[in-house]
Amino acid sequence: MKKFIVTMFAVLLGALAAMGQRSYYGEWVVKSSGQLIRKVYDNGSVMRLDEIDEKGVHPCIIFKDSVVVLMPEQKAYGVFTGESMKGKKRTILGVESEIIRIDKQYTFIKKEVITGVECTHYNFKQTDASKYNAGGMTGTSEGAQIYDVWIAPDIRHPMQQENPNAVNPRLEKMGKIVFGPQPADLFVVPKGWKRMNMDAMMDGINQQMKGMFEKQKQAVDDLQKVEKGEKSSNQELNELMEGFKAMEQLFKAKKK
């Protein structure tokens, strides 16, 4: 599920290139080891990504404005539109944010050939600033992404990518690419599979996370009130402080 959520964010927030007219199959690998981590299918209008890890294969189908997550073991699928994550005001994992500024800059490096395909090597930098509200805890944040990307004409998926600033930096590339029509059944949900509402699921997660942030803020507010000698909203904490005060008075009385 973690991979699905990451993929949804990347696609629906515009991480993949907008144009893509060629049909192809590709294999996304770790360049240093050749480890296969993703199979890419593109029919020119719809893309399918099969994420691969130690737990198996996790497929999703990417349309222009939605992602369909396939769950073969359950014979189920989820449709995710990510409406809450679009636009300047977004809610992601319970954090409400409003974008103040986003700057994207592609710096040309050189022309290169990756797996037999001519690409353009860019250094990509994105800086952003936003206001956030996490359950009443407000503030501003600034972030930056810097990585190298190799893009080929009419191919939506990068041909190669590296983020040197990642926790575990590694160079990933299209280790194999074959152009031509792709099987139509790869881009549709098998008949009889049960549909799940991924938007409702994400809304539920957002509400849970928002509630957690609200409790954290309330706890901080309560401690600050107690430090000032004021009543908090937590009855148990108030009773505990009253107990401490009573014990303090008792010790003072004994000393007299």
Side-chain angles (χ1 to χ4, degrees):
M1 183 58 69
K2 181 179 179 181
K3 281 184 176 288
F4 289 156
I5 292 175
V6 171
T7 300
M8 291 173 195
F9 286 0
V11 174
L12 293 172
L13 298 183
L16 294 179
M19 299 300 293
Q21 302 300 321
R22 301 186 73 177
S23 297
Y24 64 92
Y25 162 78
E27 294 183 354
W28 191 243
V29 302
V30 179
K31 188 173 182 179
S32 60
S33 64
Q35 177 190 357
L36 177 62
I37 56 177
R38 179 182 304 147
K39 291 184 177 181
V40 184
Y41 306 87
D42 197 332
N43 67 7
S45 59
V46 181
M47 180 183 288
R48 172 174 171 144
L49 304 181
D50 285 4
E51 300 288 340
I52 301 171
D53 60 19
E54 65 281 357
K55 296 181 180 179
V57 180
H58 314 283
C60 62
I61 304 172
I62 302 168
F63 296 90
K64 182 179 179 180
D65 56 0
S66 64
V67 175
V68 174
V69 178
L70 301 178
M71 292 162 271
E73 291 185 0
Q74 294 82 19
K75 290 189 176 180
Y77 69 100
V79 179
F80 185 83
T81 64
E83 287 299 327
S84 64
M85 301 188 309
K86 296 178 181 178
K88 289 188 175 182
K89 293 186 178 181
R90 304 171 177 171
T91 302
I92 301 177
L93 299 180
V95 179
E96 300 170 351
S97 64
E98 180 177 356
I99 297 173
I100 301 172
R101 183 189 71 255
I102 292 182
D103 296 318
K104 297 181 181 180
Q105 181 180 357
Y106 285 88
T107 302
F108 172 82
I109 304 297
K110 61 180 178 179
K111 295 284 187 179
E112 296 184 40
V113 175
I114 305 294
T115 319
V117 178
E118 184 174 309
C119 310
T120 304
H121 177 187
Y122 295 97
N123 177 261
F124 173 75
K125 181 178 181 180
Q126 175 175 310
T127 57
D128 57 74
S130 60
K131 295 186 291 186
Y132 68 85
N133 183 340
M137 296 181 286
T138 60
T140 58
S141 65
E142 295 191 10
Q145 297 180 59
I146 303 175
Y147 57 87
D148 284 270
V149 62
W150 287 254
I151 298 174
D154 301 326
I155 298 177
R156 287 186 288 182
H157 196 287
M159 289 298 296
Q160 187 165 276
Q161 186 167 302
E162 181 179 27
N163 182 356
N165 300 310
V167 177
N168 297 308
R170 65 185 185 184
L171 182 62
E172 299 174 354
K173 62 169 288 187
M174 197 72 78
K176 176 182 179 182
I177 188 165
V178 179
F179 295 100
Q182 300 301 307
D185 60 350
L186 290 174
F187 306 94
V188 296
V189 177
K191 291 183 179 180
W193 283 26
K194 181 180 178 181
R195 174 170 175 164
M196 299 174 61
N197 191 329
M198 298 294 286
D199 285 318
M201 185 184 299
M202 285 304 301
D203 287 342
I205 292 174
N206 281 328
Q207 289 301 316
Q208 290 178 4
M209 296 296 293
K210 183 178 179 181
M212 182 189 73
F213 290 132
E214 289 174 345
K215 289 180 180 178
Q216 290 178 344
K217 183 178 186 302
Q218 189 62 62
V220 172
D221 291 344
D222 286 338
L223 288 174
Q224 290 175 342
K225 287 182 178 180
V226 168
E227 289 175 354
K228 295 177 182 179
E230 302 174 358
K231 289 277 188 180
S232 78
S233 65
N234 189 315
Q235 185 61 33
E236 291 182 358
L237 185 58
N238 289 332
E239 292 174 355
L240 182 61
M241 295 308 298
E242 291 296 332
F244 284 143
K245 289 180 181 179
M247 289 177 65
E248 184 179 14
Q249 294 297 324
L250 181 60
F251 285 135
K252 286 182 179 179
K254 285 186 176 181
K255 286 181 179 180
K256 293 180 180 180

